[in-house]
Amino acid sequence: MYEVKTKENDNSVIEFIEKVESPKKREDAYRLLDIFTETTGYQAKMWGPSIIGFGSYHYKYATGHEGDAPLVGFSPRKAKISLYFAPGDRKRDELLERFGKHTTGKACVYINKITDIDVEVLKELIVQSIDFLRETYPE
């Protein structure tokens, strides 16, 4: 049976951020922590060893696979900062057109630093992602 590795845990968000090697990336992580906390109204929680998540939702796919995941989150990785938004939300692409310098994966948006992006659009992405997930996976 498949076991999800990215689970909410009680590890310290601040301790995790303090271990980020790059001082600039650490500074950006604290700024993102403030932006996500303020925008979501949720307390930051660690998900797995390296994702800072906000809120949670329970998903269940047609295949029967189900689990819990953060509504939104981020991770200050060595190469880039990963931002986690709802996969499958078509409005995300519209917002990303105004977002600034980034690359995308299936569920992630990658940035080098906060100064590359429009913080107001980031807030819109956070709110849109939460709204999409609440509609898609009502409790």
Side-chain angles (χ1 to χ4, degrees), residues 28-66:
D28 278 354
Y30 278 118
R31 180 123 184 261
L32 286 169
L33 180 63
D34 288 344
I35 292 166
F36 274 79
T37 301
E38 196 176 288
T39 306
T40 66
Y42 290 108
Q43 186 89 18
K45 293 280 194 175
M46 290 302 301
W47 285 75
S50 61
I51 295 174
I52 300 168
F54 300 82
S56 66
Y57 70 101
H58 186 79
Y59 60 86
K60 187 170 186 174
Y61 299 136
T63 60
H65 176 76
E66 64 182 297

Side-chain angles (χ1 to χ4, degrees), residues 6-7 9 17 24-25 32 45 55 91 99 102 137:
T6 308
K7 292 182 180 173
N9 60 64
I17 293 174
K24 181 65 186 135
K25 201 158 268 166
L32 286 169
K45 293 280 194 175
K91 290 183 184 171
F99 189 52
H102 71 281
Y137 302 100

Side-chain angles (χ1 to χ4, degrees), residues 83-101:
L83 305 173
Y84 298 94
F85 303 113
D89 181 7
R90 288 183 175 79
K91 290 183 184 171
R92 180 178 97 160
D93 293 337
E94 282 175 38
L95 290 168
L96 287 174
E97 288 175 18
R98 301 185 284 116
F99 189 52
K101 188 177 171 185

Side-chain angles (χ1 to χ4, degrees), residues 10 19 41 70 77 106 111 125:
D10 291 328
K19 290 178 184 167
R77 308 231 184 238
K106 186 175 179 181
I111 63 170
L125 280 161

